């Protein structure tokens, strides 16, 4: 009896259209999860840019520079690689690990550039976005 009264109170508390019948559309991954009894994985429920990124990461690619960049020595033989969709890009060099100041400079296409403060080498490489 008390639970019936509680239900009546909840029903009155709902907005008017909440009790109206609704059509619910489920996508394929949700239906699959319901039929198999599991929760869909990221790959099953990802769409758009997230899906493209997940597919690229399966192949070992990082088209949107999501992951931490590979570390380079910064020498002439192993310069820091700066990916860019243009012919130049601004770079901020934290010359020493504990520095609070960042040295900003342009890196242009062509031979490696050097940081004006510490002398580390930076080389621009053309990068195509996958869309
Ligand atoms: Zn530097």
């Amino acid at each position: 009896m008390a639970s019936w009264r509680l239900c009546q109170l909840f029903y009155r508390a709902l907005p008017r259209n909440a009790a109206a019948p609704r059509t619910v559309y489920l996508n394929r991954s949700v239906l699959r999860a319901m039929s198999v009894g599991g929760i869909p994985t990221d790959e099953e429920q990802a769409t758009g840019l997230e899906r493209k990124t997940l597919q690229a990461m399966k192949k070992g690619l990082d088209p949107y520079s999501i992951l931490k960049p590979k570390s380079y020595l910064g020498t002439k033989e192993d310069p820091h690689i700066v990916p860019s969709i243009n012919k130049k890009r601004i770079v901020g060099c934290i010359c020493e690990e504990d520095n609070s100041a960042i040295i900003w400079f342009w890196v242009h296409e062509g031979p490696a550039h050097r940081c004006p403060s510490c002398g580390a080498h930076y080389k621009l490489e053309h990068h195509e976005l996958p869309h």
Side-chain angles (χ1 to χ4, degrees), residues 93-95 103 115 117-120 122:
C93 182
I94 304 171
C95 301
I103 308 297
C115 169
S117 179
C118 69
Y122 289 86

Side-chain angles (χ1 to χ4, degrees), residues 10-21:
F10 278 126
Y11 184 76
R12 286 185 187 150
L14 290 172
R16 283 207 175 266
N17 61 356

Side-chain angles (χ1 to χ4, degrees), residues 15-89:
R16 283 207 175 266
N17 61 356
R22 295 182 291 163
T23 306
V24 178
Y25 298 100
L26 299 175
N27 67 20
R28 195 172 51 185
S29 62
V30 173
L31 288 173
R32 186 193 150 279
M34 289 171 70
S35 64
V36 174
I39 297 171
T41 63
D42 285 347
E43 288 173 14
E44 289 171 337
Q45 65 182 3
T47 59
L49 194 58
E50 185 182 8
R51 186 176 186 83
K52 278 187 178 180
T53 304
L54 284 172
Q55 288 171 344
M57 288 175 94
K58 275 175 101 177
K59 296 174 191 168
L61 302 173
D62 183 21
Y64 297 103
S65 303
I66 294 171
L67 302 174
K68 181 183 174 197
K70 182 184 167 223
S71 65
Y72 303 95
L73 293 175
T75 60
K76 193 173 185 180
E77 295 77 28
D78 187 24
H80 297 285
I81 300 300
V82 181
S84 176
I85 57 170
N86 295 318
K87 294 184 177 189
K88 62 181 181 178
R89 188 170 182 185

